[in-house]
Amino acid sequence: MNIMNVDYSTKIPNNVDLASDRQVLKALEGWHPGYIDWWNDMGPEGFQQSLVYLRTAYSVDPRGWAKFDYVKMPDYRWGVLLAPQEDNRTIPFGEHYGEPAWQEVPGEYRAMLRRLIVIQGDTEPASVEQQRHLGKTAPSLYDMRNLFQVNVEEGRHLWAMVYLLQKYFGRDGREEADDLLRRRSGDADSPRMLGAFNEATPDWLSFFMFTYFTDRDGKMQLHSLAQSGFDPLSRTCRFMLTEEAHHMFVGETGISRIVQRTCEAMRDAGISDPTDIAKVRALGVIDLPTIQKKLNLHYTLSLDLFGSEVSTNAANAFNAGIKGRYHETQIEDDHRLTSATYPVLKLVDGVIKRVDEPALTALNMRLRDDYSQDCVKGLLRWNKVITTAGYDFQLALPHVAFHRAIGEFKGVHATPEGLLIDGATWARRKDDWLPSTDDGDFIASLMQPVSDPGAYAPWIAAPKVGIDNKPGDFEYVKIET
Ligand code: BYC
């Protein structure tokens, strides 16, 4: 078969020739009803019978891989798509540097590999669960469609990991695949594996922050796994990254449109001080200081997803050739990190200091630094909207010691500027830096659904261009209740 094109003749669309891989096809078909049950129980609430203008992958060719059409979400063709195999690919880092990439699971790294695939897989349905109630308060049909697009693709990313588990890990892979449908975001008894995926996504500002900051952790982790010496994992992640780009676009433009609307409303009302929260809120838009608080929350929850700054797990995965660095093949060094060091921010005798650590154990810190740099790009764009509107206010990333639950700074309190403070000061000031109950109530009060084609809730500006170049009043979702 042509690996570029997707075979839609089997129940599970794929470009991995499932038709002649009967055992795996059977296992996936056996998992399918449980997945559909999960989607019906935990996928978007309502709208399951609505026609949604969604993109579906029909090829893995980066020049043209998706087609758009109206689809009812439960009929979406979730499938297994891998980027084409590169001829003679070698392992690009670690102890096996330069050896041919593995097409089967290397026995000695089986447990490590399975753990990483399960963690990756677990985040995908978790995000769908976190966002399931948002359709009901969508600020427009355009935004509702983007939410559902993100949701169905996270569902497909779950399929991507489940395929690896079913094909390469035999019986325990099948058990892990079943468990991925069993855990639930925020559930006390059976929570999702990583912290940020058990938090609520209460409103659309949180949704945009999540797709900007948390999906970007996804991007960094997928890039690192795309370097993997285990070739099927690498190929899966490479194609997932193609879909992931849209999710971050949704976040970046969503926040930008909120900031723009707030600035326009302030200007029209003659408000010169953007920190005059009561006056700005009276206009029915979200004030910039509250946007900063939401940013503080979602950025720091996402920083926690990188694990401890200094980690032997990360060193072992790198040595093994299982998980590399961001843009590994473009880095000019020995790709083994035998003697290199990397500066890590640490707490030394109560002071935050940069300390040189072996680069091998500092890999999480390095990836997190790459992540923070990547995050800055959106902030520059949002700040440009603010300055262009004539306001003296800048959104900023908080210090990495602020509000942390994992790693070096989990046991201390710090201000967004990185000043260490005691527990009493933290308790007194916390609501100045993170969304308070009042902030949440105010934002919730704005979350009124808007469902006329081309109309937008008053707290968010219209997008500059439509999806698939559709006109402004395009009916992205034909609502059927
Ligand atoms: N919450 O050595 P440590 C995405 C655990 S997002 C809870 O510090 P390590 C997406 C850790 O598991 C990307 N537990 O860290 C985005 C370990 O436990 P065990 C998802 C945590 O292992 C939006 C212990 O602490 N993909 O795709 O070097 C929408 C010590 O670990 C947390 C991946 O994460 C936490 N935050 O690195 C949809 C890639 N952090 O094993 C999707 C796969 C650490 O001792 N995962 N722990 O019981 C990994 O590469 C690594 O496991 C981690 C942690 C980066 C998560």
Side-chain angles (χ1 to χ4, degrees):
M1 72 182 283
N2 178 354
I3 179 79
M4 284 295 189
N5 294 321
V6 180
D7 175 6
Y8 273 91
S9 68
T10 46
K11 188 169 180 185
I12 297 150
N14 70 91
N15 70 343
V16 292
D17 204 9
L18 277 182
S20 52
D21 197 350
R22 303 303 302 172
Q23 211 185 344
V24 177
L25 181 61
K26 223 172 121 220
L28 287 170
E29 284 178 349
W31 187 80
H32 187 265
Y35 173 80
I36 294 295
D37 285 349
W38 167 81
W39 178 268
N40 287 330
D41 289 350
M42 297 311 294
E45 232 180 291
F47 308 100
Q48 297 286 352
Q49 292 311 310
S50 301
L51 286 167
V52 187
Y53 193 67
L54 294 175
R55 71 175 183 188
T56 305
Y58 66 91
S59 155
V60 290
D61 187 336
R63 283 163 302 180
W65 58 275
K67 72 173 197 294
F68 290 82
D69 208 347
Y70 283 108
V71 182
K72 285 184 188 167
M73 283 186 279
D75 298 338
Y76 188 79
R77 300 298 308 272
W78 286 285
V80 177
L81 282 79
L82 271 64
Q85 190 170 339
E86 269 174 39
D87 290 339
N88 306 318
R89 180 168 176 262
T90 55
I91 300 169
F93 59 90
E95 284 166 2
H96 302 279
Y97 179 58
E99 294 173 20
W102 300 296
Q103 299 306 325
E104 293 296 331
V105 175
E108 54 190 314
Y109 306 135
R110 194 170 187 278
M112 180 193 291
L113 200 46
R114 195 187 62 201
R115 175 180 167 272
L116 292 180
I117 293 171
V118 168
I119 294 179
Q120 180 63 47
D122 192 67
T123 62
E124 315 289 1
S127 67
V128 177
E129 292 163 5
Q130 289 169 297
Q131 296 161 13
R132 68 184 303 253
H133 61 93
L134 289 173
K136 287 181 294 186
T137 55
S140 70
L141 291 180
Y142 166 91
D143 291 292
M144 184 190 277
R145 177 261 165 217
N146 283 348
L147 166 72
F148 294 156
Q149 182 72 58
V150 168
N151 292 161
V152 293
E153 284 176 352
E154 300 301 7
R156 203 203 70 71
H157 292 179
L158 170 62
W159 274 90
M161 293 301 123
V162 164
Y163 167 70
L164 295 178
L165 290 169
Q166 305 260 21
K167 179 163 172 69
Y168 296 98
F169 292 88
R171 191 168 148 191
D172 42 337
R174 286 195 291 280
E175 283 167 11
E176 294 283 16
D178 290 342
D179 282 350
L180 287 169
L181 295 177
R182 196 180 45 76
R183 287 185 287 273
R184 293 282 181 272
S185 174
D187 189 285
D189 299 323
S190 187
R192 292 293 173 183
M193 299 173 87
L194 300 178
F197 294 92
N198 288 305
E199 298 284 332
T201 309
D203 53 60
W204 277 78
L205 178 54
S206 275
F207 170 67
F208 292 131
M209 290 290 176
F210 185 97
T211 43
Y212 187 77
F213 287 108
T214 309
D215 277 85
R216 194 170 304 276
D217 166 56
K219 168 185 167 181
M220 306 310 286
Q221 302 291 351
L222 288 173
H223 264 285
S224 306
L225 295 173
Q227 301 290 340
S228 184
F230 179 50
D231 208 39
L233 175 61
S234 164
R235 291 170 53 203
T236 302
C237 291
R238 272 184 269 150
F239 185 68
M240 287 164 76
L241 281 164
T242 316
E243 291 167 316
E244 197 69 38
H246 173 68
H247 305 186
M248 286 171 291
F249 160 87
V250 168
E252 182 182 325
T253 53
I255 296 167
S256 188
R257 289 161 51 213
I258 295 176
V259 168
Q260 185 190 331
R261 184 67 204 107
T262 300
C263 290
E264 282 167 5
M266 290 193 299
R267 215 179 35 208
D268 292 350
I271 294 176
S272 57
D273 178 7
T275 65
D276 192 338
I277 292 170
K279 259 194 184 168
V280 178
R281 287 188 178 182
L283 305 173
V285 293
I286 308 175
D287 53 285
L288 300 180
T290 298
I291 295 174
Q292 176 69 59
K293 287 194 209 177
K294 282 272 196 184
L295 185 160
N296 288 349
L297 175 67
H298 288 272
Y299 175 63
T300 52
L301 287 173
S302 304
L303 289 179
D304 281 344
L305 293 173
F306 289 84
S308 304
E309 289 82 347
V310 177
S311 161
T312 47
N313 280 346
N316 291 340
F318 184 87
N319 272 338
I322 299 294
K323 185 180 174 193
R325 289 170 292 178
Y326 185 53
H327 291 157
E328 180 73 46
T329 49
Q330 291 162 34
I331 301 172
E332 291 200 5
D333 65 7
D334 68 350
H335 299 283
R336 290 173 189 267
L337 303 178
T338 39
S339 54
T341 59
Y342 188 85
V344 174
L345 269 193
K346 295 187 93 173
L347 200 59
V348 184
D349 301 329
V351 181
I352 300 173
K353 281 196 177 144
R354 224 164 256 283
V355 180
D356 279 341
E357 289 283 337
L360 251 185
T361 49
L363 283 164
N364 287 346
M365 174 79 190
R366 177 178 178 134
L367 191 62
R368 202 188 72 194
D369 281 346
D370 290 337
Y371 167 78
S372 295
Q373 265 181 38
D374 210 59
C375 286
V376 168
K377 293 178 197 158
L379 270 95
L380 293 175
R381 295 204 185 102
W382 305 330
N383 284 334
K384 192 150 173 254
V385 174
I386 301 174
T387 32
T388 306
Y391 286 100
D392 181 19
F393 187 98
Q394 295 280 279
L395 294 165
L397 293 178
H399 193 278
V400 293
F402 170 75
H403 185 238
R404 297 300 307 282
I406 299 275
E408 201 56 30
F409 304 108
K410 67 170 182 234
V412 294
H413 294 299
T415 67
E417 292 74 35
L419 196 69
L420 293 174
I421 50 174
D422 60 23
T425 313
W426 171 260
R428 211 173 51 246
R429 297 292 314 275
K430 170 166 128 329
D431 284 354
D432 296 339
W433 301 320
L434 292 168
S436 64
T437 311
D438 280 356
D439 297 328
D441 291 347
F442 169 68
I443 297 175
S445 75
L446 297 182
M447 298 293 118
Q448 304 299 330
V450 174
S451 54
D452 288 337
Y456 287 83
W459 51 269
I460 189 165
K464 288 196 176 66
V465 281
I467 294 295
D468 192 28
N469 282 321
K470 292 297 175 202
D473 59 354
F474 185 71
E475 193 175 5
Y476 288 100
V477 184
K478 297 188 180 185
I479 295 178
E480 192 70 50
T481 44

